[in-house]
Amino acid sequence: MPAVKSVRSHFITGFLVLVPVLATIDIASWFVDIVDRTARKYIPTELLPFDFIGLGLIIALVVVFVMGVLANNFIGKWLIEQVDIVLRKFPIFGGVYGSIQQFLETVFGSGQDKFNEAVLVEFPREGIYSIGFRTGVPDSKLLEHTKKKLVNVFVPCTPNPTSGFYILVPADKVSPLEMSVQEAFKIVISMGVVTTDPKKLKK
């Protein structure tokens, strides 16, 4: 019946419009709450004459911005380098600090070690494919045990792409994808719901 189809069409359209909006609001609320509570552990917001939900987030953003300003001038850069040298000398703690710093520089940095391109690899076993990202050049010591030409590939987890698997894959087993790194990340984060082809969303 036309009336039933019309009601069904309106319901589906409303659902597709409303769910992403509510999900975005929910994720944003969760992010603000996490950062706010974390910031309050290290920043004494109770010393301020006012308090409200999100105050910790605002203070954290201000602190991050100020640190960025300091890091971009000569004196601030020198001080940060000295702190970096001291922190790296601590046993265990220095290793953890260095690893976290290197990971952040790899993901957000502008050098050659960032994600080069989105690829498709057979992982976790043959016949099953995963989205991955090529990263830099394999360490020469890792290549000593094989005669194959290997490439670095980072396979992110879904829906949290900050964790994942670092694997070495034969170059001929890596299939470059005709999409940007950002587009591939959207697919991973959305668990495959988001597509780069708008026409498929209308089907």
Side-chain angles (χ1 to χ4, degrees):
M1 296 177 63
V4 175
K5 290 184 178 180
S6 178
V7 171
R8 180 183 177 187
S9 176
H10 290 322
F11 181 82
I12 293 176
T13 301
F15 181 82
L16 293 176
V17 171
L18 190 60
V19 169
V21 173
L22 294 178
T24 301
I25 293 175
D26 190 51
I27 292 174
S29 176
W30 170 81
F31 176 77
V32 170
D33 182 61
I34 289 294
V35 177
D36 185 66
R37 286 191 284 112
T38 302
R40 288 171 184 273
K41 293 180 181 179
Y42 303 98
I43 303 173
T45 55
E46 63 273 6
L47 298 180
L48 298 175
F50 51 85
D51 189 14
F52 54 87
I53 297 175
L55 176 61
L57 173 62
I58 294 174
I59 295 176
L61 292 176
V62 171
V63 170
V64 170
F65 177 77
V66 172
M67 287 298 295
V69 172
L70 291 175
N72 284 321
N73 65 64
F74 178 77
I75 298 177
K77 190 175 295 184
W78 180 83
L79 288 173
I80 291 175
E81 287 178 355
Q82 300 309 306
V83 172
D84 183 80
I85 292 173
V86 173
L87 292 177
R88 288 178 181 275
K89 289 183 178 180
F90 282 93
I92 301 178
F93 176 81
V96 174
Y97 166 77
S99 299
I100 294 175
Q101 186 184 57
Q102 188 172 17
F103 173 78
L104 293 176
E105 289 177 350
T106 299
V107 175
F108 298 104
S110 57
Q112 63 179 2
D113 293 331
K114 66 178 183 178
F115 296 144
N116 297 326
E117 64 177 342
V119 298
L120 203 64
V121 294
E122 290 189 90
F123 181 85
R125 64 176 176 82
E126 187 176 353
I128 296 179
Y129 293 87
S130 298
I131 292 177
F133 301 93
R134 287 192 58 176
T135 60
V137 180
D139 191 295
S140 59
K141 294 181 179 179
L142 297 176
L143 302 178
E144 295 175 354
H145 302 281
T146 177
K147 295 181 179 180
K148 294 182 179 179
K149 181 181 178 182
L150 303 177
V151 295
N152 284 338
V153 176
F154 172 70
V155 179
C157 290
T158 300
N160 177 19
T162 58
S163 63
F165 302 90
Y166 164 63
I167 58 177
L168 291 168
V169 185
D172 59 351
K173 296 293 184 180
V174 175
S175 302
L177 295 173
E178 294 183 0
M179 64 176 64
S180 66
V181 171
Q182 290 76 15
E183 289 175 330
F185 259 118
K186 288 180 181 179
I187 294 176
V188 172
I189 295 173
S190 69
M191 297 175 286
V193 175
V194 173
T195 174
T196 58
D197 186 0
K199 295 180 181 179
K200 293 182 179 181
L201 294 176
K202 298 179 182 180
K203 291 183 178 180

